[in-house]
Amino acid sequence: MTSTTPPPPTPPGPPGPPTPLDPHRRTTRPTDFEDLRRQAVALRREGLSLRQIRDRLKIHNNDLLNRLVKGEPPPDWTRRPNAKDDLRERARALRLEGRTYDQIQLELGCSKSSISLWVRDLPKPERKRTREEASAIARKGWEATLRIREEQRQARKNTARDEVGNMTERELFLVGVGLYWAEGAKSKPYDRRESVTFVNSDPNMIRIYLAWLTLLGIDRERLRFHVMIHENADIERAERYWADLAQVDVTTLGKTTLKRHNPKTVRKNVGDDYYGCLAINVRQGAGLYQRIEGWWSGLVVEAQRLTT
């Protein structure tokens, strides 16, 4: 048997380069720390900010910097004033005068949550009105608020209406295409019905649709009208209303479609201003329907072109 001698151990190589230290990490021995602290405290007492002390002593560790100046108050010039201190004092003074949260909010313009935080330790003012009187005052104030909101709403509507300006025939054409495709009857792959039928309860939608048909040159003789309405409504009144709007004789209307009343349904469309819907059908309208579908496809293509 042949014995083998193990190879001698490999001598250790030269030491590698020292691991680089993080330039922003500053290690200090106790004596170094005390020396740095004396310098930092002295600078702090001279009125320097933490940023200035950091730059002066080349200390880039915020934790170390805060430890060095611990217990030393910041100079007055570094203190930021609290913008709400004055509001808080005024709110407390008003509360001590017996003012309510609403009254304080009205005078100072701050939120009720802030007011509550500032004055919740103060006694509540004595109630000077009965609950009924307070409710009446609140309703009156709310009515005024609603009136202002309605005035603002109407002002916005009027401004927007004026922004439309004079409509061209092309603009009416495009509006009509979109209007029909949104509200009119459409053919389905599983149920091909290329008829032009438009049903709506909004009289202004009906007006625009009729104006669009006139623009397209559709003869009034090709139009057929009939009313769709709940059976417990004033049917004759509704028929007269739609006939007047469409400028046709009421006797030329088709048979009114009645919707059965469901006692379980709580209807909102009731009252004197409920007239149901008017349905308008264009006779021999297959060709017109195909053109409408093509116009709509053209609008889709152009919209995508403008936005891509």
Side-chain angles (χ1 to χ4, degrees):
M1 175 179 295
T2 303
S3 62
T4 58
T5 304
T10 304
T19 302
L21 296 178
D22 184 353
H24 296 292
R25 181 179 178 184
R26 180 159 184 159
T27 57
T28 58
R29 294 188 297 273
T31 55
D32 294 338
F33 177 83
E34 292 302 325
D35 182 58
L36 279 174
R37 174 168 168 77
R38 282 193 295 272
Q39 298 179 57
V41 169
L43 293 173
R44 191 61 156 169
R45 292 176 181 176
E46 290 178 11
L48 273 66
S49 66
L50 287 177
R51 180 184 295 273
Q52 292 171 326
I53 296 174
R54 180 197 67 188
D55 295 340
R56 184 76 63 85
L57 300 181
K58 308 299 182 184
I59 299 172
H60 301 289
N61 186 308
N62 289 334
D63 180 62
L64 173 61
L65 181 61
N66 286 318
R67 286 167 53 203
L68 291 173
V69 298
K70 184 178 181 181
E72 292 296 321
D76 292 338
W77 69 270
T78 63
R79 297 178 185 270
R80 294 183 179 179
N82 191 336
K84 291 190 175 181
D85 285 346
D86 182 55
L87 280 178
R88 178 179 180 276
E89 294 305 317
R90 291 171 61 191
R92 292 179 65 83
L94 292 172
R95 187 63 166 177
L96 292 173
E97 293 176 5
R99 303 286 187 91
T100 64
Y101 283 10
D102 289 334
Q103 293 170 332
I104 297 174
Q105 182 185 35
L106 183 63
E107 180 158 337
L108 301 184
C110 47
S111 66
K112 285 187 180 180
S113 58
S114 296
I115 296 172
S116 174
L117 182 66
W118 295 337
V119 306
R120 60 188 176 186
D121 61 315
L122 299 179
K124 294 182 180 180
E126 295 182 5
R127 186 181 296 275
K128 298 180 181 179
R129 303 184 182 93
T130 64
R131 292 189 179 275
E132 291 75 14
E133 291 172 337
S135 297
I137 293 173
R139 280 196 303 272
K140 186 176 180 180
W142 182 241
E143 289 171 358
T145 299
L146 292 178
R147 184 174 63 254
I148 293 173
R149 288 183 180 178
E150 181 60 26
E151 292 172 355
Q152 294 172 340
R153 183 181 297 111
Q154 291 302 323
R156 293 190 194 102
K157 290 180 180 179
N158 294 337
T159 300
R161 179 194 61 203
D162 295 339
E163 288 172 353
V164 174
N166 296 325
M167 183 183 293
T168 65
E169 289 186 350
R170 175 168 175 77
E171 289 169 340
L172 176 58
F173 166 72
L174 296 176
V175 167
V177 173
L179 182 65
Y180 184 86
W181 206 251
E183 298 291 331
K186 291 175 282 293
S187 179
K188 306 294 183 183
Y190 54 84
D191 185 16
R192 186 167 298 281
R193 296 184 182 183
E194 294 182 332
S195 60
V196 179
T197 303
F198 187 85
V199 182
N200 212 271
S201 63
D202 186 338
N204 289 327
M205 296 276 272
I206 296 294
R207 291 186 179 98
I208 293 178
Y209 179 67
L210 290 175
W212 181 64
L213 291 178
T214 300
L215 178 68
L216 297 180
I218 304 300
D219 195 325
R220 275 299 186 109
E221 297 298 324
R222 294 175 58 187
L223 304 185
R224 293 294 180 266
F225 304 88
H226 75 273
V227 177
M228 305 173 69
I229 195 169
H230 284 270
E231 62 179 354
N232 57 350
D234 190 338
I235 299 171
E236 292 184 1
R237 181 168 171 269
E239 290 174 342
R240 291 193 303 271
Y241 173 82
W242 289 116
D244 291 343
L245 187 141
Q247 298 180 356
V248 296
D249 193 299
V250 70
T251 60
T252 64
L253 296 179
K255 184 178 179 180
T256 296
T257 301
L258 300 180
K259 183 177 181 180
R260 296 292 181 183
H261 175 62
N262 184 354
K264 296 181 180 179
T265 302
V266 180
R267 288 177 49 215
K268 303 296 184 181
N269 53 348
V270 295
D272 294 339
D273 59 346
Y274 171 64
Y275 301 104
C277 300
L278 181 65
I280 307 174
N281 177 260
V282 180
R283 295 179 61 193
Q284 301 174 350
L288 175 59
Y289 177 83
Q290 294 160 10
R291 292 165 64 197
I292 293 173
E293 190 166 332
W295 291 332
W296 175 251
S297 298
L299 284 177
V300 173
V301 170
E302 282 302 297
Q304 292 175 334
R305 181 185 66 81
L306 291 173
T307 56
T308 56

